[in-house]
Amino acid sequence: MMLVVALALVVIVPPLVAAMTFAQKVLRGYVVSLAAGYGMGKAANALEAKRPPAKRSPKEEPAWDFYLRGQAWRDIVHAHRAGAAAARGVIAKRAKEIGKKHFEDPLGNNWLGAFHYLGLALGLLLALAALVSAGVGTGLFLFVLLGCSYLALYLLRLVDVVMLRFRGITMTCRVCGHRVTEVLYGCPGCKTTLHGDVRPGRYGMTRRRCQCGKPFPSMMVLMWFVKQDDKPTLWCPRYRDGEEPHQLTGHTGEMAEIVLPVFGAPSAGKTQLITVLIIAMEAMTTRSGGDFTYADDQSRKWAEDGKRKLVATSRPDKTKIATKGGVAPPACSVLVAPRRGTRKLVHVFDAAGEIFSNAKQIQELQYFRIARTFVFVVDPMSIKSVWDGFELAERQAFEDRRAQQEPHVTFSETVSTMTAMGVDLAKIHLVVAVSKADLVKPMLADVDTGDSLAIKEWLEDVGQGNIVRRMETTFKEVTYFLTAALPDEHNDAHPSVETFAGLTLADEGLRL
């Protein structure tokens, strides 16, 4: 019995000791090279991160990958390949040593070499078992980590959407009038690189890092809390071939918007009304202790030029059909922060009156699809019965200032086209602004100019009953105003325009 035990110890123990020693060497070589592959240790050999492209393409963005979504997998493959290569090197070296010492050397002992080969094989099994166990554990950990990152990713997206919806925030391009849902982001660092969808995902969870190295928030709600210099510029992706992307106005995505389209016949007084409307908004806001600013330099220039022209000649320049970026010029966009209440970004869209007799051109006014309030400007001098009431001398004086097209022509073409565009007019508030009240003042002697119902009845009395009835049956609500779009001696808005501005914007949730 003792002989058997001694023989078993001689046969089993040496190979096991050799196996354990060899397994330790294999594991050590694997782990050291694995660590080097991750960039640790004296022989660090980390994989260089994949350089992002300089410009975006349908498949790639000019941004560095989020580690867990891209670089982590490349690092894992690289590090484990390095570890496997090191393990193969240890195995090959040991096998070569055994063969040279016990089989190639004439003085070698073949039986002892066989024991060493057996130890090598057992060591490989032990090392493989340890590596598989560690690999399974590491894989489970990475799977849980990746699952948590995906869960966090979609939760962050949900938070972003919910916060925007809760605050009623939308984004509208002031150039083409489209409602923008997936904006382009201009890097605040290099200023030239545009990024696509920056929601938490492949290129970052809460921050995206541009190819230039500049990070910026990947969620719209986080942009509310960073300095202006660290905010990306926002661009509309809906631009025509050959055009540059349209930059969205400042503060887009930070507050709710009001989109206010103004339509009417040529020379009805739309631009003049808009100019004085801006004057009224600024005066009413600052008078009550609020803040009024222009959302961009182009809006500021348009408004200031219009004011100067209006003060000098009592008439602003006629709106022209745009030749680039659509048929209508960009909106005049202003930021209104009342003393009490919610800040709003107001886009007032003007378009040449000639557009509203052309269905194809009306369809290009994409802001018609998203607005909840429309302003229809009616020139009373374009109504035949009103015009016939003027003296000959007055007609000669006002001929070049009146709209030649009667209101029902513009209204019918515009409303028919809006219906064809899919606009639900039953949800729209129509504001009818009867312009040039100062010129028809003698005909309004018996009319309460501050009463919407009285203005409606006056329109019916001057032969506009059909259009009034169509308005009342087509739209959710119709409000009538008489406006004299002229600044007073202090260059302030006429009281009629302040009334028009206050009530119209109040219906959109902005109380001046």
Side-chain angles (χ1 to χ4, degrees), residues 54-100:
K55 293 185 177 180
R56 60 191 302 265
S57 68
K59 293 184 178 180
E60 288 189 287
E61 291 286 336
W64 295 87
D65 281 336
F66 173 48
Y67 189 77
L68 288 179
R69 293 291 304 276
Q71 187 62 32
W73 176 249
R74 291 191 288 270
D75 281 350
I76 289 171
V77 172
H78 169 74
H80 283 274
R81 280 178 178 172
R88 286 195 300 270
V90 172
I91 295 169
K93 181 180 179 182
R94 180 59 180 157
K96 187 175 181 181
E97 288 175 351
I98 294 172
K100 185 175 182 180

Side-chain angles (χ1 to χ4, degrees), residues 162-398:
V162 169
M163 287 297 293
L164 294 177
R165 293 275 179 87
F166 177 75
R167 296 187 61 180
I169 294 175
T170 55
M171 292 176 283
T172 302
C173 177
R174 61 180 293 269
V175 177
C176 64
H178 280 96
R179 173 62 50 81
V180 184
T181 55
E182 295 184 1
V183 299
L184 298 177
Y185 295 76
C187 173
C190 58
K191 308 292 185 183
T192 58
T193 305
L194 291 182
H195 295 257
D197 183 9
V198 301
R199 294 178 302 170
R202 173 183 172 184
Y203 299 102
M205 293 289 277
T206 59
R207 288 153 64 92
R208 172 175 288 199
R209 191 157 65 99
C210 178
Q211 53 86 20
C212 71
K214 176 71 174 180
F216 58 88
S218 64
M219 298 170 62
M220 191 63 69
V221 295
L222 293 179
M223 295 183 192
W224 305 341
F225 306 103
V226 298
K227 296 185 297 183
Q228 191 64 37
D229 291 344
D230 294 329
K231 290 183 181 180
T233 54
L234 304 183
W235 300 77
C236 172
R238 305 285 292 271
Y239 53 93
R240 304 182 183 195
D241 293 339
E243 288 182 0
E244 292 294 325
H246 311 141
Q247 184 172 356
L248 302 183
T249 59
H251 303 285
T252 294
E254 298 178 18
M255 64 199 69
E257 295 178 316
I258 296 175
V259 175
L260 199 64
V262 180
F263 69 100
S267 300
K270 301 183 300 300
T271 304
Q272 186 164 339
L273 178 62
I274 292 173
T275 303
V276 182
L277 170 64
I278 300 300
I279 295 174
M281 291 170 60
E282 181 174 9
M284 296 171 72
T285 302
T286 55
R287 189 188 307 146
S288 61
D291 292 321
F292 176 96
T293 55
Y294 291 94
D296 52 80
D297 291 336
Q298 190 175 5
S299 294
R300 180 189 302 277
K301 184 178 184 302
W302 181 91
E304 290 178 349
D305 289 347
K307 290 177 189 177
R308 282 194 294 268
K309 184 74 173 179
L310 193 57
V311 170
T313 66
S314 297
R315 297 177 66 182
D317 290 331
K318 180 176 173 58
T319 304
K320 298 179 181 179
I321 298 178
T323 57
K324 296 181 179 180
V327 299
C332 181
S333 302
V334 297
L335 174 62
V336 182
R339 183 168 175 269
R340 294 180 180 177
T342 307
R343 296 186 304 165
K344 299 276 188 178
L345 184 58
V346 184
H347 302 287
V348 185
F349 284 93
D350 186 16
E354 290 79 3
I355 290 174
F356 300 106
S357 59
N358 187 313
K360 184 176 179 180
Q361 289 184 324
I362 295 174
Q363 289 180 344
E364 293 196 38
L365 305 179
Q366 292 297 318
Y367 50 82
F368 273 17
R369 300 179 186 272
I370 56 179
R372 296 179 301 177
T373 300
F374 289 78
V375 178
F376 176 37
V377 180
V378 175
D379 180 2
M381 294 192 298
S382 68
I383 301 172
K384 187 176 185 305
S385 61
V386 175
W387 184 244
D388 290 343
F390 283 99
E391 298 292 338
L392 180 59
E394 292 176 320
R395 291 188 201 175
Q396 292 174 344
F398 298 149

